[in-house]
Amino acid sequence: MDETPEIVTKVTGWLADAGEVAMGWLASPAAWSQFALLAAAFIVARIVTLRVNPVLSRLIAPPEGRTGPIATARSFVLRFLPLLLPLFAYGLTAVGEEVTRSLFGSGEVIAFGKRVFLFLAVRAFVRDILTDPFLRLLGRYVLIPVAALYTLGLLDDITTRLEETVIALGNIRFSVMALIRGVIAGSLLFWLGSWSNRQSADYIKKQAELRPATRELAVKATEVLIFGAAFLLLMSIMGIDLTAVAVLGGALGVGIGLGLQQIAANFVSGIILLVEGQTTVGDYVELDGGEKGTIVKMTARSCILETFDGKWIVVPNEHFITSRVVNYSDQGSANRYEAAFSVSYDTDINRVPGIIEAAVAALPFVLKKPDGPDVELRGFGESGIDFAVEYWVNGIDDGKNKYGSQVLFAIWNALKAEGIEIPYPHRVVELRDGSTPVKARVKKAGA
């Protein structure tokens, strides 16, 4: 016949003990007096809570429409009012326990009731106060079960059993309780690290006096510090010797030397980019490999470029250090462009600069500083006299900013308004009928 599993025997023993304790309480007059004290403590706590809750709500609640740190803190404290009833009942029960033990020498019933009120406080805390989905999940499946075991008096036995169960992985040995403690502590620490990282990142990014590159570097440094401290604290909580971390660091160094050098190079290159600040978020850049776009994000490994047609290009940070990079928009600086055009040889070319410069300067996006529009004579072509107008604008002539097209329209309209002809190619054709050549001059558009 198969033996009964140990866990079944253990649970059966716990149930039998609980039954004996319950029967003893039901048969004891002292237990009934403690039940009466518990009921009285709950009724008094209920009456006091009903009277105090409205008063505290009016005192703590911030004025309507008020914002700021103080108003946020008052709203946060207001969320804890549901704990008032179970905690007040717990306090009254604790006083009753001391009185009962001093008079009758026993107080198991009222001590159990005190633990019940504490369980109710934990349940209210998880149900009414925790709003973060992860914390509420952790409270529902970890905090409430632990409080229930404590209420039933089983927590110490289960904890001892888990401490005695040891898991061995090579030379590393740890108990099941240490593993559970590590999982719970790790979840809390890394949630807290993520929350702290978000708060610190938001605060740093609001510091307008810092350069964007400096802000990004501060955000990355803060992130490394927060999660590094969380990892070391977790190792300490789990009871793992930090010398094992040193061994892990040595192995990681060997791995970097053998196969992760590109990742390490990109990480170091990212730090150099953030420190130097020559390229930062918002700059329009072009690399030797042909990649070009606006930097929308800088990570520890790469920069993300967004092209004008909406595509994202992930460029490793190392490329910004080892190759030539053209930065067209260093923090919003002006850029110079030019538009070429020609006029016929019949034109008085001394009039052209004034006409075109005035027409281009009238465009709203053309800057007067560092220099206004400037028309230059570039040469004498086959079909006409070649000019070019140079102008300065803020931004890049692509995507949503089509500066070149508008400038060419302005040139065309200005020349037409002044009656100046824009030439097209001319060709001379010779027709031979045997002995006498016949020359004909043909105008042909489009070469």
Side-chain angles (χ1 to χ4, degrees), residues 170-219:
N171 294 328
I172 301 177
R173 298 172 60 85
F174 52 87
S175 65
V176 175
M177 189 63 198
L179 179 61
I180 296 174
R181 189 187 302 119
V183 171
I184 297 173
S187 301
L188 284 173
L189 284 174
F190 282 95
W191 175 87
L192 182 61
S194 299
W195 180 84
S196 302
N197 185 55
R198 289 194 301 271
Q199 298 298 318
S200 60
D202 292 341
Y203 175 77
I204 293 171
K205 290 179 179 178
K206 290 178 182 178
Q207 308 306 309
E209 65 274 8
L210 298 177
R211 292 188 306 120
T214 305
R215 290 198 295 266
E216 291 293 331
L217 178 61
V219 168

Side-chain angles (χ1 to χ4, degrees), residues 124-408:
F125 176 75
V126 174
R127 182 188 61 193
D128 301 326
I129 297 175
L130 294 181
T131 57
D132 184 84
F134 171 76
L135 292 182
R136 178 169 286 186
L137 182 69
L138 201 63
R140 184 178 301 169
Y141 294 104
V142 175
L143 187 58
I144 290 180
V146 168
L149 292 175
Y150 173 74
T151 302
L152 297 174
L154 303 177
L155 185 61
D156 291 339
D157 292 339
I158 293 178
T159 302
T160 302
R161 181 65 177 174
L162 293 176
E163 289 284 2
E164 293 172 352
T165 305
V166 177
I167 298 175
L169 295 176
N171 294 328
I172 301 177
R173 298 172 60 85
F174 52 87
S175 65
V176 175
M177 189 63 198
L179 179 61
I180 296 174
R181 189 187 302 119
V183 171
I184 297 173
S187 301
L188 284 173
L189 284 174
F190 282 95
W191 175 87
L192 182 61
S194 299
W195 180 84
S196 302
N197 185 55
R198 289 194 301 271
Q199 298 298 318
S200 60
D202 292 341
Y203 175 77
I204 293 171
K205 290 179 179 178
K206 290 178 182 178
Q207 308 306 309
E209 65 274 8
L210 298 177
R211 292 188 306 120
T214 305
R215 290 198 295 266
E216 291 293 331
L217 178 61
V219 168
K220 296 301 178 186
T222 304
E223 182 178 2
V224 171
L225 289 176
I226 289 175
F227 285 102
F231 176 75
L232 294 177
L233 185 58
L234 177 61
M235 294 296 102
S236 177
I237 291 174
M238 292 186 66
I240 297 177
D241 191 356
L242 292 182
T243 55
V245 179
V247 174
L248 178 63
L252 182 61
V254 174
I256 291 175
L258 295 178
L260 303 178
Q261 57 266 48
Q262 290 297 323
I263 296 177
N266 286 321
F267 181 77
V268 175
S269 298
I271 295 176
I272 294 174
L273 288 175
L274 293 174
V275 172
E276 291 183 346
Q278 294 180 355
T279 54
T280 186
V281 175
D283 287 355
Y284 185 88
V285 298
E286 181 178 1
L287 281 72
D288 268 353
E291 304 92 345
K292 59 181 179 180
T294 302
I295 301 177
V296 295
K297 188 176 182 181
M298 299 179 71
T299 67
R301 187 187 68 85
S302 61
C303 291
I304 299 177
L305 309 183
E306 183 178 13
T307 64
F308 284 119
D309 54 1
K311 296 183 177 66
W312 277 22
I313 303 175
V314 180
V315 181
N317 290 328
E318 185 183 10
H319 291 194
F320 286 85
I321 301 298
T322 59
S323 62
R324 185 176 64 92
V325 179
V326 180
N327 193 334
Y328 289 94
S329 55
D330 185 11
Q331 291 304 300
S333 61
N335 294 290
R336 192 188 72 175
Y337 294 95
E338 65 176 41
F341 63 96
S342 299
V343 298
S344 69
Y345 278 97
D346 298 332
T347 305
D348 181 5
I349 62 175
N350 297 303
R351 298 172 52 209
V352 173
I355 296 171
I356 301 304
E357 288 174 2
V360 175
L363 296 174
F365 54 82
V366 175
L367 304 178
K368 296 181 179 179
K369 292 182 180 179
D371 194 10
D374 179 35
V375 174
E376 296 181 354
L377 176 63
R378 293 294 175 85
F380 302 99
E382 295 181 359
S383 303
I385 304 173
D386 299 327
F387 286 89
V389 57
E390 297 175 346
Y391 58 94
W392 290 80
V393 294
N394 271 328
I396 307 301
D397 186 15
D398 202 347
K400 63 182 179 180
N401 301 316
K402 291 294 186 180
Y403 301 127
S405 176
Q406 298 182 58
V407 170
L408 291 176

